[in-house]
Amino acid sequence: MRTMIIDLRLQPGAMVNELSLAAEIELGRTPVHEAVARLVVDRLVKVLPRRGLMITPIGLEEVREIFEAREAIECGNAYFAVQHATAAELAELRRLVEQAENAREETAVQRFLDDDQFIHRFLASCVHNSLLQDATNQILMHSLRFWRFYFARYHIAESTLISHRALLAALEQRDAQGAYMAMREHIRTSRALLNKLF
């Protein structure tokens, strides 16, 4: 069900009910009820008293929260990854960034979006802090849903797909402040694209 929400098979703002969801995914009502309760905690589903369940809409306020949370958490991840990432992890991060750059140059949007998620999630794992990793995964789940929503509605040029090269360079140089600022610039550049949508 989470995947159906994130990949927009269940559209933002759509009204749903547990019986129809149970039929669609071919499960009983009890596991669906438990899943819905978890999705409410994850802020992917809202309970509307006397109306039912609504897939959480994507509006200006939700997007503001996503980007502010990303900046607060992910800039810290970049800073601490300089201190904690192993040489092997930085080599893997370089491979992931090169993969994303190839997708960016080909304007392969879905591939880039997947690669981008891998980079941000992998960077969080390089910090070796389970609390930060959990917080990052929660934020990136909402971010991925938003970008799928955005990319489904707008023409995407290569310039729309933000490079990770400056971030990688700072991390490889073990420059904590540079990594922090590169991540901040990466997120703020992404946020500036939203003027089209909101």
Side-chain angles (χ1 to χ4, degrees):
M1 286 171 60
R2 182 182 289 114
T3 300
M4 290 168 68
I5 294 170
I6 292 170
D7 70 13
L8 307 179
R9 279 178 282 163
L10 291 172
Q11 284 284 314
M15 298 299 296
V16 296
N17 64 64
E18 290 182 5
L19 284 175
S20 63
L21 287 171
E24 186 168 352
I25 61 178
E26 299 178 344
L27 283 175
R29 188 163 181 191
T30 299
V32 169
H33 180 74
E34 291 170 358
V36 166
R38 178 58 195 267
L39 293 170
V40 169
V41 171
D42 286 343
R43 299 178 64 197
L44 291 171
V45 171
K46 289 186 173 186
V47 177
L48 303 179
R50 296 181 300 280
R51 290 181 56 203
L53 304 171
M54 181 175 69
I55 305 304
T56 302
I58 296 176
L60 183 58
E61 187 63 13
E62 289 79 18
V63 173
R64 179 191 63 78
E65 289 181 358
I66 289 167
F67 277 91
E68 286 179 358
R70 286 192 64 197
E71 190 170 333
I73 297 292
E74 291 198 82
C75 291
N77 286 347
Y79 184 90
F80 289 117
V82 166
Q83 299 169 42
H84 300 297
T86 66
E89 286 171 332
L90 289 181
E92 175 61 9
L93 188 62
R94 169 166 281 283
R95 187 191 70 75
L96 292 171
V97 169
E98 287 171 356
Q99 189 173 287
E101 288 299 318
N102 290 337
R104 191 173 77 86
E105 288 162 10
E106 295 168 19
T107 322
V109 173
Q110 277 310 126
R111 205 169 87 227
F112 177 84
L113 192 55
D114 291 342
D115 291 344
D116 180 78
Q117 281 281 307
F118 282 131
I119 289 166
H120 289 269
R121 289 179 189 274
F122 185 75
L123 181 63
S125 75
C126 293
V127 179
H128 303 282
N129 181 317
S130 59
L131 293 174
L132 281 173
Q133 191 163 0
D134 288 348
T136 303
N137 288 339
Q138 181 77 2
I139 293 163
L140 288 175
M141 174 180 66
H142 288 277
S143 181
L144 178 59
R145 185 171 82 114
F146 164 73
W147 283 116
R148 285 191 172 152
F149 179 77
Y150 180 90
F151 286 171
R153 284 155 180 77
Y154 292 93
H155 171 72
I156 305 301
E158 181 185 330
S159 60
T160 312
L161 308 176
I162 311 303
S163 176
H164 298 83
R165 283 189 173 131
L167 173 64
L168 177 65
L171 289 163
E172 289 180 334
Q173 291 162 16
R174 300 289 183 174
D175 176 1
Q177 191 60 33
Y180 180 98
M181 295 305 294
M183 180 62 87
R184 187 177 182 205
E185 182 63 21
H186 178 85
I187 292 169
R188 288 188 171 187
T189 302
S190 296
R191 190 173 184 176
L193 298 171
L194 307 187
N195 292 336
K196 255 190 200 175
L197 187 56
F198 298 107

